[in-house]
Structures are given as C-alpha cells and as structure tokens.
Amino acid sequence: ETGVTQTPRHLVMGMTNKKSLKCEQHLGHNAMYWYKQSAKKPLELMFVYNFKEQTENNSVPSRFSPECPNSSHLFLHLHTLQPEDSALYLCASSQAQGVNTEAFFGQGTRLTVV
Amino acid sequence: GDSVTQMEGPVTLSEEAFLTINCTYTATGYPSLFWYVQYPGEGLQLLLKATKADDKGSNKGFEATYRKETTSFHLEKGSVQVSDSAVYFCALPWGGSQGNLIFGKGTKLSVKP
C-alpha cells in the first residue's frame, strides 16, 4: 500500500465509449501525475498538476482529458480512444517542491480498447 | 535533453547469484537518481535513491552508487532471491520536480530457485 489508490484496476472499453480513471492520494502531497506504460516503450509522463494547476501536458492527444478538482484527487477522462491507447495508466503523487521528495505510484489501471 | 539508458533484459539468474543492472544517464546538473521496482501486476515502488554524487542508496539488500565521473547509477545485489523477480527501472527527475521522471526502458529480472 503506497497511499495512492487507483480505480478501476482493469477497464475494457469500446472506441466510442466514454470512461474515467480515478486516482486518490492520502499522503498530503500537492503534485499529481499521470503516466502511461505501454508494452515495449519506456514509461511516459502524460500530465502534471501542481497545487491543482496543470503544469505539464506532454503532447497528449485531446482524447485524454485530465481533471484535478483538489490536491487529493486526479481523474483521466477518456473518449473515442484507439486500440493503441491500450496500456497501463499509472497515477503518482509527490511534494511539488523540496529536495528529498520522491514520487509514490498507484497500482495502475490496465486499459484495453477494443 | 536529459535521458536514461538502462541495460536491456531479460536477466535470468539462479537464487543467491550476484546481480548488476547497468544504468547511465545524461543530465544537466546533478539531479537525484532513483531505482524503482515493479512486481508482477503492481505499480511502481521506489527501491532506493541517491541525491548527490558519491551517495550510495540502499534498501532490501540492493545498492547503487551515484558516480558523477562515469554518469552511472548501477544497481547491485549480492545474493538475489526468487522474490526479487520484477522489472527494475532507473529514473531521474527533470523540471525541478521529483515526480517528473524520465525512466529507462526497464530490466526484467527472473530469479530461479
């Protein structure tokens, strides 16, 4: 248990569906992140929120839409996805500033687009 | 730009064998360096870290030393166990935040009894 909880753990969706991934952290952190882990590719940072403000969008297609209503919750809204979007989506949190901080990851949502 | 190069796997060892997983980096300045581990079906867990040159991070019998001269952060363990079977990622932060991580491609370790 890392203090970062992701739901659902597994999701299968059609290309015309709309779904959302949820992440919640109980660590008192003020920065949250979405990462994508695909087979045969390095982990990719998608979005960064610091103090609820989006500070990084790593050229992610608009069919992925993040939302951070407060410092403890992060969502990833999905619509009209493609099969190549199938991957493990990992949420992480950390302190936004400071020297000796590190990211804590959730267990991920395994997404399959059919 | 900043990058991490990690030895490709998979690596298969017998129990109690010595483990080395190589990691080299390219970075501006001297960032903290991390090793993360991903057990089957799980997310990533921080295994160890080093925040400055010549620091040695250690945890669960694993060690890695921050070598500025060779820009390396190799992971070692003297005697691996079956429970160490996992994927190991070397990483460094960018942009001033420890959560903005650049990862290596990961090295899958399988330990046989």
Side-chain angles (χ1 to χ4, degrees), chain B residues 49-67:
Chain B
K49 67 176 183 179
T51 57
K52 61 183 187 296
D54 300 324
D55 261 5
K56 177 184 284 188
S58 61
N59 186 27
K60 300 182 180 180
F62 291 89
E63 293 182 339
T65 301
Y66 190 154
R67 301 284 188 199

Side-chain angles (χ1 to χ4, degrees), chain B residues 27-69:
Chain B
T28 303
Y30 303 105
S32 297
L33 299 173
F34 303 94
W35 277 100
Y36 280 84
V37 58
Q38 186 175 32
Y39 297 103
E42 302 292 323
L44 273 68
Q45 300 175 29
L46 179 66
L47 179 61
L48 54 83
K49 67 176 183 179
T51 57
K52 61 183 187 296
D54 300 324
D55 261 5
K56 177 184 284 188
S58 61
N59 186 27
K60 300 182 180 180
F62 291 89
E63 293 182 339
T65 301
Y66 190 154
R67 301 284 188 199
K68 182 177 64 174
E69 310 79 21

